Amino acid sequence: MKKTEPLVKDVKTTPKEKLPRRSDVLLDAIAQSAVKLLEAPDWRTEINDLLKLLGEATNASHAYLFENHLGKNRQIVTSQKYEWVGVGQKPEINNPDFQNVPVLEEGMSEWYSVVSAGKPFYNTTKIFESIWQDTPGRQEIKTLLDVPIFVDGNWWGVIGFDDCEREMAWSKAEIHAMQVASSMLGAAIKRQQTDAALRASEDKFHTTFHHTFVPMVIGRLSDRTIVDINEAFSNELGYSRDEAIGRNASDLRLWVDPDEHTKHQELLKEQGFIREFKAKFRRSSGETGVALISVAPIIVDSEACVLYTLYDITKIDELLVELQNKNNELESFTYTVSHDLKAPLITIGGFVGYLEKDIVNGNADKARKDVQRIMDAVVKMQRLLNELLELSRIGRFINKPEIANIGDLAREAVRALHKQLTTNKVTLTIENDLPNVEVDRHRLIEVFQNLFENAIKFMGEQPNPEIKVGLHRRNDEQFFFVCDNGIGIESQYHERIFGLFNKLDARTDGTGIGLALVKRIIEFHGGKVWVESELGHGASFYFTLATRT
C-alpha cells in the first residue's frame, strides 16, 4: 500500500500550466471510465484502462488499486492488485512489501482514521514517519492521494495516485473528481457482486428445481402457460417437457374437479400465494391422484411467474379414507354390540322365564318350543360372533398365497352351497377357461360363497333363478363377475351394501356382514369390488385382483 495521511489540507499547490485543460482531460477520463464500467460484465477487465486514463489525466507517477481482505490471523490486510505506471517510473505490482499489508500498519494511524471514515487522504510524504522510507519503492514518492472505495457501506479498498516529481500536485476539484471515480468503481463492484449473487442464487434454484424429488412447475402469471417442468413432475404425471411447456393446466387436463380449480385460482388471486391446497390431479395416463399444491411468486427472465410444487398424498389420502371407513365400521360394531347382540340375549332371557313357567305348569309342548326359541337365539348370536371374528382376521392371519384356477374356486363354493342352490332351484353357470390367480385360496372361496348366498337370498319370485360367473374384459382391464337375475338393487344403495351390518331388508336371514367381508378380502388382495344393478333387473357384482394371473 502506498503511504498516505491526513484529509485534504488547505496548502499551496505547485503551479501547473494549463490547469483547466487538465481538468477537462480528467473529467473526460472519468466519463470514459464510467462508460467502460457500465458496459463491462466484469469491472476487473477494465480496471487497467481506467487507471491508465486517470493516471495520464492527472500526470501521476503511479495509479493503483488496493483491495482489503482477511489475512492469516483473521485481521484485515490490504494488497495491491492493479497498477499503472507513468513513463520512466518503476512498476511496483510485484513488490511483496505491498502485499498483505496490515491496514493499521505502524506509523499509518492517521491514514487509517481518515480513509476508513470514507474521506480521501492527500498529503506530502515529508510529514510521514521515518519508517515510511524503509519500504523500497516508497522513497521516491513526494505526494500521495488515496481515495477509499466503499461497497454496500463497507470499506472495500482504495484507488490511489502518487507523484514522484511534485509535492501537492492536485487541486481540490481534481481530488473531488477522483472521489467520483471511486464511487463509480464501488458501484461497479457492487453491481458485479449482486449479479454474481443472483447468478449463484439462480444456479442454486436451477439445481434444486431440476434435481429435487418434488414435482415442480413454473407457469407464466399472465396467461398460466407452463414455461418449465422438472424431471420429478415428468416422472410423476407422465408428461415430457416438450409435451408440457407452452401449454396450460386445462390443455393437459391436470385438474380433476373444476370447482377445486376455480377455488385455487380465486385463492391465488386473493393472496398471491398458496400453501398446501388439497386437490385431485390427473396424470397423462388418465389415472387420478391427490396432491397438496403450493404456489409461490417468482421472477424468471424479468417476467412474473409462479412456482408450483406438488406433494403426492394419494396413498396417505387412501389411508385416511380407509381409517375413516374403519371408524365407521367401529361405530357400526358398537351399535351391533348394543343392539344386534343384545336382541338374542333379550330373547334368551325372555324365553327362559317362559320355560320356567311352562315347566312348573307341566306344559311340555310349550316348554319344547321355548327351548327351540332359546336355541335359535344362541345360534344367531354364535353366527354373528363368528362372522365378526372372521372379519377382524382379514389382513392379519392369512393362508399362504397359491396359484389356483378362478373357476375351480367358484366350483368349491358351489359344492359348499349345494343344498341351498338345489332347494331354491338356482341354475349356476361358470364360464370355461377362466384364468389362474395367485391368491389366498380359502379367502377367495369365501368371496364366491358370500356372493352366491347373497344372490340366492334376493332372487325374489323369479321363476327361473340364475347365477353366472365369468371374466369380462374392457379395454386393457379384466374383471370377474357374479351376476344374477334377482330383484336387483336401487342405485342409492350400491355403496351402502358393502358397509358393515348394512341389511337392506331386515326380514332376511343373515347378519349383514357377508358383503363387507367380500370387500375386505378383495381389497386385501389389492383389488376392488363394486355392483351394477337396477331394481327389478338383477345384480352384477364385479371385482378385480391385483395378484398375478
Side-chain angles (χ1 to χ4, degrees):
M1 179 185 67
K2 311 292 186 183
K3 185 74 175 187
T4 45
E5 279 230 9
L7 183 60
V8 179
K9 295 181 179 179
D10 191 11
V11 296
K12 294 181 180 181
T13 59
T14 303
K16 298 182 181 181
E17 297 180 357
K18 300 180 181 179
L19 184 59
R21 186 183 67 81
R22 197 178 79 169
S23 298
D24 291 341
V25 172
L26 179 58
L27 292 174
D28 182 64
I30 292 174
Q32 291 183 56
S33 300
V35 173
K36 287 177 175 292
L37 291 175
L38 185 64
E39 294 179 347
D42 187 347
W43 64 269
R44 296 179 188 275
T45 62
E46 303 297 332
I47 189 61
N48 286 322
D49 287 344
L50 184 147
L51 293 175
K52 181 176 184 294
L53 283 168
L54 297 178
E56 290 178 344
T58 57
N59 290 326
S61 299
H62 297 83
Y64 46 84
L65 182 75
F66 275 74
E67 182 176 347
N68 298 342
H69 56 94
L70 290 178
K72 293 181 178 180
N73 297 324
R74 306 298 294 174
Q75 294 181 336
I76 298 178
V77 296
T78 190
S79 297
Q80 181 173 280
K81 299 294 185 179
Y82 300 94
E83 180 190 48
W84 169 86
V85 295
V87 177
Q89 300 297 324
K90 179 183 177 182
E92 300 290 347
I93 189 66
N94 296 319
N95 187 342
D97 291 321
F98 292 149
Q99 304 298 318
N100 301 309
V101 182
V103 294
L104 282 172
E105 183 183 16
E106 184 178 357
M108 297 297 290
S109 59
E110 187 177 354
W111 174 89
Y112 174 81
S113 63
V114 172
V115 175
S116 64
K119 300 175 183 179
F121 183 92
Y122 179 48
N123 219 324
T124 174
T125 58
K126 284 183 177 180
I127 68 169
F128 291 179
E129 297 180 20
S130 59
I131 192 173
W132 166 264
Q133 301 295 332
D134 294 340
T135 300
R138 290 177 175 176
Q139 295 91 338
E140 303 299 325
I141 299 173
K142 294 182 178 181
T143 305
L144 191 70
L145 169 63
D146 279 348
V147 183
I149 300 170
F150 276 75
V151 177
D152 210 17
N154 298 311
W155 179 29
W156 183 90
V158 296
I159 182 172
F161 307 85
D162 63 38
D163 197 312
C164 297
E165 298 178 1
R166 294 157 296 183
E167 293 180 1
M168 309 307 290
W170 301 291
S171 69
K172 289 183 178 181
E174 290 172 316
I175 294 171
H176 179 70
M178 294 300 190
Q179 287 181 279
V180 172
S182 170
S183 298
M184 182 177 62
L185 181 57
I189 294 170
K190 169 62 177 175
R191 176 174 60 84
Q192 185 168 324
Q193 288 179 348
T194 302
D195 290 345
L198 181 60
R199 283 194 299 272
S201 178
E202 289 175 347
D203 290 343
K204 186 182 296 184
F205 172 79
H206 183 273
T207 300
T208 302
F209 180 81
H210 285 288
H211 293 88
T212 181
F213 292 107
V214 178
M216 291 185 176
V217 182
I218 298 176
R220 192 161 42 236
L221 191 59
S222 59
D223 58 6
R224 299 293 193 275
T225 297
I226 296 172
V227 297
D228 203 358
I229 65 172
N230 65 359
E231 185 176 352
F233 180 89
S234 182
N235 293 338
E236 183 66 46
L237 278 83
Y239 291 101
S240 66
R241 295 183 76 249
D242 291 340
E243 292 172 326
I245 293 176
R247 305 176 72 185
N248 57 40
S250 297
D251 295 334
L252 300 178
R253 298 177 64 247
L254 297 179
W255 291 88
V256 175
D257 188 336
D259 291 337
E260 289 181 344
H261 190 190
T262 301
K263 185 177 179 181
H264 162 271
Q265 289 179 317
E266 291 174 349
L267 192 60
L268 182 58
K269 184 177 180 181
E270 177 184 342
Q271 298 183 163
F273 67 93
I274 293 177
R275 295 286 183 271
E276 297 185 345
F277 181 87
K278 183 180 176 182
K280 300 182 187 69
F281 68 92
R282 183 182 290 107
R283 298 180 174 87
S284 63
S285 63
E287 182 184 0
T288 62
V290 180
L292 292 178
I293 303 172
S294 296
V295 188
I298 60 172
I299 300 297
V300 177
D301 296 332
S302 302
E303 191 168 27
C305 296
V306 283
L307 173 67
Y308 293 82
T309 57
L310 291 84
Y311 291 90
D312 187 352
I313 61 167
T314 304
K315 295 297 183 184
I316 296 175
D317 192 66
E318 289 174 353
L319 290 174
L320 289 174
V321 171
E322 183 179 352
L323 179 59
Q324 183 59 51
N325 291 336
K326 300 296 184 188
N327 287 336
N328 292 338
E329 287 183 7
L330 183 58
E331 290 180 7
S332 297
F333 178 77
T334 303
Y335 172 80
T336 299
V337 171
S338 63
H339 183 272
D340 291 51
L341 292 179
K342 187 187 295 183
L345 290 174
I346 293 173
T347 299
I348 293 170
F351 278 92
V352 166
Y354 293 144
L355 179 60
E356 183 180 14
K357 291 180 182 179
D358 293 334
I359 292 174
V360 170
N361 295 329
N363 193 334
D365 186 51
K366 292 188 73 174
R368 280 194 294 272
K369 290 180 180 179
D370 294 338
V371 170
Q372 186 58 50
R373 295 293 293 271
I374 292 171
M375 290 301 299
D376 290 343
V378 170
V379 169
K380 181 178 181 179
M381 178 176 283
Q382 184 64 47
R383 181 180 177 186
L384 189 59
L385 290 172
N386 287 341
E387 291 192 2
L388 283 172
L389 180 62
E390 179 72 7
L391 185 67
S392 70
R393 287 175 174 171
I394 301 300
R396 291 189 297 141
F397 300 100
I398 63 170
N399 302 303
K400 184 179 179 180
E402 59 181 290
I403 301 296
N405 183 268
I406 199 74
D408 291 342
L409 299 178
R411 292 183 188 94
E412 287 195 40
V414 169
R415 285 192 287 271
L417 298 175
H418 177 73
K419 183 177 180 180
Q420 291 184 49
L421 292 168
T422 302
T423 301
N424 291 278
K425 299 179 180 180
V426 177
T427 300
L428 198 153
T429 306
I430 300 173
E431 288 184 357
N432 295 323
D433 300 324
L434 291 178
N436 293 332
V437 291
E438 185 180 25
V439 292
D440 180 339
R441 182 186 188 92
H442 174 70
R443 295 299 189 200
L444 259 293
I445 293 173
E446 286 185 77
V447 167
F448 282 114
Q449 190 169 331
N450 278 286
L451 291 177
F452 293 163
E453 286 181 330
N454 189 75
I456 294 170
K457 192 184 303 180
F458 294 101
M459 279 297 178
E461 301 299 324
Q462 173 61 250
N464 298 304
E466 293 181 350
I467 300 175
K468 294 181 180 180
V469 179
L471 178 68
H472 184 72
R473 289 181 174 86
R474 182 185 298 166
N475 298 326
D476 295 331
E477 286 188 301
Q478 65 175 22
F479 35 88
F480 303 101
F481 64 80
V482 175
C483 300
D484 65 63
N485 59 349
I487 63 174
I489 305 168
E490 292 183 83
S491 59
Q492 65 262 38
Y493 300 120
H494 286 184
E495 291 290 335
R496 180 182 170 188
I497 59 173
F498 292 103
L500 191 60
F501 308 117
N502 285 331
K503 294 176 63 176
L504 297 185
D505 187 349
R507 297 169 298 178
T508 58
D509 186 28
T511 61
I513 295 178
L515 292 180
L517 188 65
V518 168
K519 184 173 184 291
R520 186 76 63 84
I521 294 172
I522 293 301
E523 289 179 348
F524 182 73
H525 282 79
K528 58 182 179 179
V529 60
W530 69 98
V531 64
E532 295 178 8
S533 177
E534 293 182 14
L535 192 63
H537 293 84
S540 297
F541 286 84
Y542 297 94
F543 65 90
T544 62
L545 295 171
T547 51
R548 182 167 60 87
T549 60

